[in-house]
Amino acid sequence: MATGIFKNAKVAGASTSGTTLYTVPSGKYATIHAIYCTNKYNLEDLYVNVEIIDASSNSFFIAYLLPVTANIPTVLERPINLNASEVLKITASRATSIDVVASVLEFTP
């Protein structure tokens, strides 16, 4: 029987070139329950891309140019299932201005 543990994956100030938020460890799998993006730059709305990189280095966007309003968090609340070695990556439209937290349930088979 698989056992699961809840974790938070966190990035303070995501970059414009892509920042790894979470990587599924080898031999495990995970479910992302929610992703919270907060715009700390209070002068304008920003955007974020959320993507999965699979074990073959293929990229799949979950969100592309998702608006993150100034001082108001944006939440993606749909479960996302990830397999071993897959990567959840965040790219911000302005460097160091968006913090991201993901609620992760990580399973060991």
Side-chain angles (χ1 to χ4, degrees):
M1 185 167 109
T3 58
I5 184 169
F6 282 100
K7 296 183 173 187
N8 285 322
K10 302 173 278 275
V11 168
S15 76
T16 56
S17 60
T19 303
T20 296
L21 178 60
Y22 175 73
T23 302
V24 182
S26 179
K28 297 187 180 194
Y29 59 96
T31 298
I32 309 298
H33 285 274
I35 301 171
Y36 303 88
C37 304
T38 301
N39 177 354
K40 302 181 297 183
Y41 184 71
N42 63 2
L43 299 178
E44 65 185 48
D45 295 349
L46 301 177
Y47 301 90
V48 68
N49 296 338
V50 181
E51 63 186 308
I52 295 172
I53 311 297
D54 70 9
S56 299
S57 298
N58 297 310
S59 176
F60 303 91
F61 285 94
I62 295 167
Y64 190 79
L65 295 178
L66 179 70
V68 184
T69 306
N71 300 314
I72 299 173
T74 296
V75 182
L76 295 169
E77 292 186 290
R78 298 284 186 236
I80 303 163
N81 297 312
L82 300 175
N83 294 314
S85 303
E86 290 187 323
V87 177
L88 185 64
K89 191 173 181 179
I90 305 295
T91 304
S93 61
R94 181 181 175 85
T96 71
S97 296
I98 296 179
D99 287 352
V100 183
V101 177
S103 175
V104 180
L105 180 54
E106 188 176 271
F107 293 97
T108 302

